[in-house]
Amino acid sequence: MDRKTIHFATSVLLLAVVSLLSAPVHAAGFAIFEQGAKAMGMAGAFGAQADDPSAMYYNIGGLAMFTESEFYAGVSAVSLGDSDFTGLAPFPGPDVTGTQKNQVLFVPHFYYVRPLKENLNLGLGMNAPFGLTTEWENTDDWAGRFLSEKAALQAIDLTAALGWRAKDNLGLSFGLIVRNSTLELRKRNAAINPFTQTAVDVAMVKLEGGFDQGYGFTAGLFHQPTDRLSWGLNYRSQIDVDYDNGDATFTQILSGDPAFDGIVASILPADQHVSTGIAFPDNATLALAYKITDDILVEADYIWWGWSSFESLELAFEDETLDTTFAQNYDDSSTYRFGLRWDRSETQQLRFGYYFEDSPQPSTSTGPLLPDADRQGLTVGYGFSGERFQVDLYVLYVDLSDRTTTVNRDNFNGSYTGSTLLAGVTVGW
Amino acid sequence: MRSTKLKVVLLLLVLGLSLGSAWAQCSGTKYVALGDSLTAGFQSGGLAEQYDSFPALIFGQLDDTCGTFEQPLVSQPGIPSQYHLVGLFPTVIEPQEGDAYPMNAELARPYDNLGVPGATVNDVVETTSGGIFNLILRNPAFGNTTQLQQALSLQPNFMTLWIGNNDALGAATSGMPALLTPLEDFQEDFETIAGAIAASGADFVVANIPDVTTIPFVSTFPSFLVNPATNQPVQIGGEFVWLIGPDGTTPLTPADKVLLTGGTYMALGCGIPAAAGGVAGLPPGTQPACPSGGLPDTAVLLAGQVAEIQARVAEFNTVIENTANALGAGFVDARAILADIATNGLELGGISFDSSFLTGGFFSYDGVHLTDLGYAYVANRFIDEANETFEMNIPPVDLYPFVFGRGAAGARLPAYLAKDAVLSPAAINNVLSIFAGKDFELDLDVELGTIGPRGRRVPPRSRIVSPLNERRFRRYREPLRF
């Protein structure tokens, strides 16, 4: 037996598998707009009302208008409905389907405002304005497992702000944001089994970050020119979070052939640190509210998102040969939100809302990691306001447009469908 | 100019017009494929169960067809016997053992897949028998007709034509540019073929010839010595140790290509300088396999030969593309497609394929012909072109079954590896013999109706003999290694 030629063949295998182990792992940011039950009863069209402490999110300009201390705390339950994938030829083909795990995520929010002195208010907030979990069922068979089995992103903002009531009907506010975020990605790697000349699973790759921080600011304006008319402007800056201390683990999946498995084992990267970063987009809100009658108020908000910040995701491993950059190339996008508030009595409100938004995701990036789509939502809300406390409730149904991509950058094409049901409660006191 | 049309007319008279007229009445697509081994579905050194040949895959995507798509199906392990990978340590690739039989030889009309392994452009218009042609053309039963005549006798309204590879690749895989077909001959024959198809009124798509440097048979081995322990180039005094060429003294350069067959010789020390442990530089005849001590010229393509072949292929491709354009045929740029696979690979849902030998998933064990996935990918390129040129709206072939293997959920090793593999001496040179076309002895005594029902194995009527192989391998008592 000739060692030179054998080793040559071995090196061919090594090269092939090394390149596969650095194959795509990527993530996308995803906004969560459900940060207060009152606002969400009106589909989030709240920037020109901003009259509870969730103004810290919807329009910080409203912070300036408080005259008493208030707490406002609650949670949204996000239940992913049936979210399915059906493939298209040439790959992975019409016989391939996939289903995301049904799961319920809880997204909390907490706000506190208090007057510091006349015309100057302090606001503190904690909420989760970005996050996502995309996890696919039956990962042994899921055709997209070499792109993503699971992607989970959490971002928790701590916001501290000052609001200045410049006039009785005009507020200006500014706040600083510390964003704490963590990221988890899990996928498999494939190699060509030389005995079958077909693809087999050879490794599970998991990237897990700790919590890392990024910093930004927010500024807003609230103005009520007449008893019936109010409007607002809010801006929240882009925040870059660098995940510096992620852990990458590589776990081999045996093929059953000792020689092939030995080669894979010999070139499987060691577990090591990995770093990456996400540029969360900035956004700007223009909000307008009008009281049609003494009991009925309508509001329309336009929200612009600077998703073009999400150009790429760069993974930097300790072993630099594994480094990879994945283009995301998101586009800026728009959301349109419409709400109606009906004051049934001094203490009770009924709320209704509708919104629609364009997906910032280009079809080239629509894939198993984050299949985003245009969406629209319908909401109903209820509020009770007593002497000492208030309770707000909402239910929101979100329908994702069917999204078919034939230009996915990984040549993984097909149609994604999905819907989400959310419900939330916030209590103020 | 050959009297091709006259021959077609005579053929139809011989066969009787009933066959043709039956198909002529069909309003759907009557598809016939004309070509060489790539059209035949040749893979890993043999022709076996060609259900996934690219023409068969294209036919499977057509929705309104005239009858079935008939191929010269061969049972496992194929004619010639297909290779399998016996082991990785050492890396041994061998023909499988066993006899293969034609499974569709009783078909009473020409096959719809008229790809003949080894066929050149001239064979398509001239050759009626010999070697593997006997398996596919089955003359004299069909009036001693050629591939082209049999194809047109089926009255197709849609055809694919991928021919010319053997006019160039034989020169590459044998390291002998002298085997290149002269340009004038190529042009005359190709224009005859394409002209006859166009004159028949059929829509057709042609493909051109790949660059030889993009196939693993040519691209796998570097021209310098690699240290087996580190997998890095061996350096002596800071210099690479270049392998020695056919004259026994001249070192190869990066532009020289060591063919896949060179691995066998390197295993014997050929081409490796004596200072690095080989026989190059030792007295002539030390190693009978390479009397000069260098790699034999059949295992090397020197830079000048590469350039010569590339230049001729470029001329052939100009003829192919110009002819296709002039006749309104679709044109598949196979050269560009395979160059793209070699350079950029193919990403399918996080799985990477490329032109690497053994591990690339696109080329089969012979280093020249494609895997099922490779053929399926090529089928889609023909479909794209047919759709664009003829507004045919054929859906693409689903690649999924070929990525993971048919019926494989997490494909596992094939069962035969668990058994005791019997090693036989014939090996990779079957590829060479298949490029020799007619010179490859295939003594099949085929008579219509005598082979037995389709798909049923019947006793072998003859054995496959390849004196070329026997001669070449009698010297080596051990299996091939790469």
Side-chain angles (χ1 to χ4, degrees):
Chain A
M1 131 176 174
D2 177 69
R3 296 192 56 80
K4 291 184 186 70
T5 49
I6 293 162
H7 277 267
F8 178 81
T10 307
S11 68
V12 171
L13 290 167
L14 298 186
L15 286 172
V17 185
V18 165
S19 63
L20 286 167
L21 289 170
S22 59
V25 182
H26 48 80
F30 200 77
I32 299 174
F33 211 72
E34 290 73 28
Q35 306 298 346
K38 182 175 180 182
M40 285 317 298
M42 294 171 279
F46 194 58
Q49 300 173 64
D51 55 359
D52 74 38
S54 71
M56 292 288 293
Y57 180 77
Y58 291 102
N59 176 8
I60 202 163
L63 169 65
M65 311 310 286
F66 286 84
T67 53
E68 292 177 356
S69 296
E70 278 190 48
F71 289 94
Y72 196 60
V75 66
S76 287
V78 183
S79 170
L80 298 176
D82 291 336
S83 299
D84 299 323
F85 170 79
T86 304
L88 277 176
F91 193 80
D95 295 337
V96 165
T97 57
T99 302
Q100 286 186 39
K101 268 191 181 162
N102 285 322
Q103 48 197 334
V104 180
L105 309 172
F106 294 95
V107 184
H109 51 267
F110 173 83
Y111 309 98
Y112 171 62
V113 299
R114 64 168 291 191
L116 288 179
K117 54 186 204 178
E118 192 162 352
N119 301 334
L120 190 65
N121 292 341
L122 170 70
L124 299 172
M126 185 183 80
N127 61 350
F130 292 91
L132 78 94
T133 299
T134 307
E135 185 169 8
W136 295 91
E137 298 264 26
N138 301 321
T139 45
D140 284 342
D141 293 326
W142 160 233
R145 63 189 180 277
F146 306 106
L147 297 172
S148 180
E149 287 185 355
K150 181 183 180 184
L153 169 69
Q154 291 177 43
I156 298 169
D157 279 10
L158 298 174
T159 308
L162 288 174
W164 173 51
R165 198 156 56 250
K167 293 182 181 174
D168 280 350
N169 63 356
L170 176 66
L172 298 169
S173 306
F174 181 84
L176 295 174
I177 301 170
V178 180
R179 182 161 295 164
N180 298 268
S181 179
T182 185
L183 183 63
E184 179 190 342
L185 302 171
R186 198 179 73 216
K187 64 174 259 254
R188 297 201 189 182
N189 281 326
I192 307 302
N193 182 332
F195 290 100
T196 59
Q197 300 260 282
T198 53
V200 287
D201 300 45
V202 294
M204 172 99 72
V205 184
K206 193 171 176 181
L207 308 182
E208 229 172 347
F211 273 96
D212 287 286
Q213 282 75 44
Y215 305 92
F217 69 91
T218 178
L221 172 156
F222 176 85
H223 185 213
Q224 185 161 17
T226 74
D227 281 349
R228 292 196 180 275
L229 181 68
S230 61
W231 65 285
L233 275 176
N234 190 69
Y235 177 77
R236 187 176 293 102
S237 71
Q238 176 180 327
I239 296 180
D240 298 345
V241 177
D242 292 326
Y243 306 86
D244 289 329
N245 282 305
D247 292 312
T249 55
F250 301 86
T251 308
Q252 186 173 3
I253 299 169
L254 298 177
S255 74
D257 178 73
F260 179 55
D261 288 341
I263 291 169
V264 173
S266 72
I267 52 87
L268 198 68
D271 294 350
Q272 59 189 282
H273 286 305
V274 61
S275 39
T276 185
I278 289 180
F280 292 91
D282 54 350
N283 68 7
T285 301
L286 171 61
L288 184 67
Y290 186 72
K291 268 185 132 175
I292 301 172
T293 70
D294 287 345
D295 299 332
I296 295 183
L297 173 146
V298 292
E299 172 161 350
D301 288 18
Y302 169 77
I303 299 139
W304 171 89
W305 295 91
W307 276 111
S308 57
S309 66
F310 196 41
E311 277 180 27
S312 69
L313 188 70
E314 297 173 18
L315 297 179
F317 290 86
E318 278 182 79
D319 175 357
E320 292 175 7
T321 60
L322 298 175
D323 288 359
T324 35
T325 297
F326 303 108
Q328 296 294 329
N329 298 323
Y330 275 35
D331 300 315
D332 294 341
S333 66
S334 297
T335 312
Y336 303 85
R337 296 177 178 272
F338 306 94
L340 184 150
R341 192 186 80 197
W342 180 13
D343 299 340
R344 297 293 309 278
S345 67
E346 287 286 308
T347 57
Q348 296 188 63
Q349 291 180 346
L350 281 179
R351 303 161 189 145
F352 305 91
Y354 168 78
Y355 79 91
F356 64 93
E357 61 186 349
D358 307 327
S359 170
Q361 185 180 64
S363 292
T364 50
S365 298
T366 301
L369 188 136
L370 171 51
D372 196 26
D374 295 346
R375 59 190 66 204
Q376 53 184 345
L378 269 177
T379 67
V380 179
Y382 169 79
F384 175 82
S385 179
E387 284 271 313
R388 290 288 185 85
F389 71 98
Q390 74 179 78
V391 179
D392 296 299
L393 304 166
Y394 80 94
V395 176
L396 162 64
Y397 175 76
V398 180
D399 175 59
L400 275 73
S401 300
D402 292 356
R403 180 84 187 254
T404 298
T405 178
T406 57
V407 293
N408 172 269
R409 65 162 172 270
D410 300 305
N411 290 317
F412 190 86
N413 291 313
S415 298
Y416 297 85
T417 59
S419 63
T420 304
L421 188 65
L422 299 95
V425 56
T426 310
V427 180
W429 65 93
Chain B
M1 190 69 192
R2 297 172 177 83
S3 55
T4 304
K5 284 180 186 171
L6 178 62
K7 286 182 184 170
V8 171
V9 171
L10 288 173
L11 172 72
L12 288 175
L13 290 173
V14 170
L15 290 179
L17 289 165
S18 57
L19 287 176
S21 58
W23 294 313
Q25 287 161 7
C26 173
S27 64
T29 303
K30 174 61 190 175
Y31 170 45
V32 170
L34 193 55
D36 49 36
S37 53
L38 294 165
T39 295
F42 197 91
Q43 181 175 93
S44 291
L47 209 53
E49 297 189 352
Q50 311 94 299
Y51 303 111
D52 297 324
S53 69
F54 89 79
L57 294 174
I58 291 174
F59 180 82
Q61 300 303 107
L62 300 172
D63 61 354
D64 182 15
T65 59
C66 297
T68 54
F69 188 79
E70 298 291 344
Q71 303 192 90
L73 294 170
V74 174
S75 70
Q76 297 284 3
I79 296 177
S81 207
Q82 285 188 329
Y83 311 149
H84 62 165
L85 176 64
V86 179
L88 290 170
F89 298 105
T91 305
V92 177
I93 295 168
E94 289 188 341
Q96 300 176 52
E97 197 171 73
D99 292 313
Y101 324 109
M103 298 193 293
N104 193 20
E106 82 286 7
L107 183 72
R109 64 170 180 84
Y111 295 118
D112 300 303
N113 186 337
L114 286 163
V116 178
T120 61
V121 286
N122 187 250
D123 286 324
V124 173
V125 293
E126 294 266 306
T127 302
T128 59
S129 65
I132 207 161
F133 283 80
N134 293 345
L135 174 75
I136 296 160
L137 297 182
R138 297 173 295 162
N139 287 315
F142 292 98
N144 289 322
T145 45
T146 63
Q147 282 174 266
L148 178 64
Q149 289 167 329
Q150 292 200 5
L152 294 178
S153 77
L154 295 168
Q155 298 195 358
N157 52 21
F158 176 58
M159 288 186 68
T160 53
L161 174 66
W162 193 5
I163 193 71
N165 300 293
N166 292 305
D167 295 276
L169 292 187
T173 53
S174 61
M176 293 184 283
L179 296 179
L180 286 168
T181 301
L183 177 61
E184 301 74 35
D185 296 353
F186 181 90
Q187 180 159 4
E188 182 184 348
D189 289 330
F190 190 84
E191 288 175 356
T192 300
I193 299 165
I197 295 171
S200 79
D203 291 336
F204 67 115
V205 179
V206 304
N208 63 0
I209 303 167
D211 186 296
V212 294
T213 61
T214 63
I215 61 174
F217 198 89
V218 177
S219 66
T220 298
F221 287 117
S223 49
F224 49 80
L225 191 61
V226 173
N227 182 332
T230 62
N231 192 38
Q232 296 298 311
V234 172
Q235 298 194 36
I236 296 179
E239 301 289 331
F240 280 21
V241 177
W242 298 95
L243 297 170
I244 304 300
D247 63 5
T249 55
T250 309
L252 300 182
T253 70
D256 299 322
K257 301 296 177 187
V258 178
L259 304 179
L260 215 43
T261 41
T264 306
Y265 294 100
M266 284 191 278
L268 300 168
C270 299
I272 300 172
V279 302
L282 298 182
T286 300
Q287 173 52 264
C290 49
S292 78
L295 287 166
D297 56 5
T298 55
V300 177
L301 273 185
L302 297 175
Q305 297 174 315
V306 173
E308 186 179 351
I309 294 170
Q310 286 179 323
R312 189 69 57 86
V313 168
E315 291 171 336
F316 290 169
N317 283 343
T318 301
V319 169
I320 292 170
E321 187 169 2
N322 288 347
T323 307
N325 290 339
L327 297 175
F331 172 69
V332 170
D333 192 349
R335 191 206 65 81
I337 290 165
L338 292 183
D340 182 53
I341 297 292
T343 307
N344 304 315
L346 170 66
E347 291 285 330
L348 292 176
I351 306 166
S352 300
F353 295 85
D354 62 24
S355 299
S356 301
F357 188 55
L358 295 182
T359 57
F362 207 84
F363 283 88
S364 66
Y365 294 138
D366 61 32
V368 174
H369 299 94
L370 307 181
T371 58
D372 287 346
L373 176 79
Y375 281 125
Y377 185 78
V378 165
N380 281 339
R381 303 289 76 77
F382 274 93
I383 286 172
D384 290 345
E385 189 58 35
N387 288 342
E388 192 171 313
T389 309
F390 305 113
E391 297 174 353
M392 289 181 75
N393 210 21
I394 308 169
V397 175
D398 181 2
L399 299 180
Y400 189 88
F402 308 111
V403 169
F404 296 105
R406 285 218 185 268
R412 290 292 183 253
L413 296 175
Y416 63 75
L417 282 173
K419 301 172 185 168
D420 288 333
V422 180
L423 311 184
S424 59
I428 196 83
N429 279 50
N430 281 4
V431 172
L432 298 186
S433 64
I434 212 65
F435 279 110
K438 300 181 292 298
D439 302 330
F440 178 77
E441 271 186 39
L442 181 78
D443 184 20
L444 280 170
D445 179 16
V446 176
E447 293 171 36
L448 290 182
T450 62
I451 297 286
R454 269 182 68 199
R456 211 192 81 200
R457 289 194 171 195
V458 296
R461 301 181 62 83
S462 60
R463 298 186 65 86
I464 298 153
V465 185
S466 175
L468 181 66
N469 289 351
E470 294 294 339
R471 244 193 336 271
R472 188 158 285 158
F473 281 90
R474 197 162 292 134
R475 282 183 294 201
Y476 312 135
R477 294 292 174 204
E478 49 187 330
L480 280 180
R481 291 156 191 173
F482 293 100

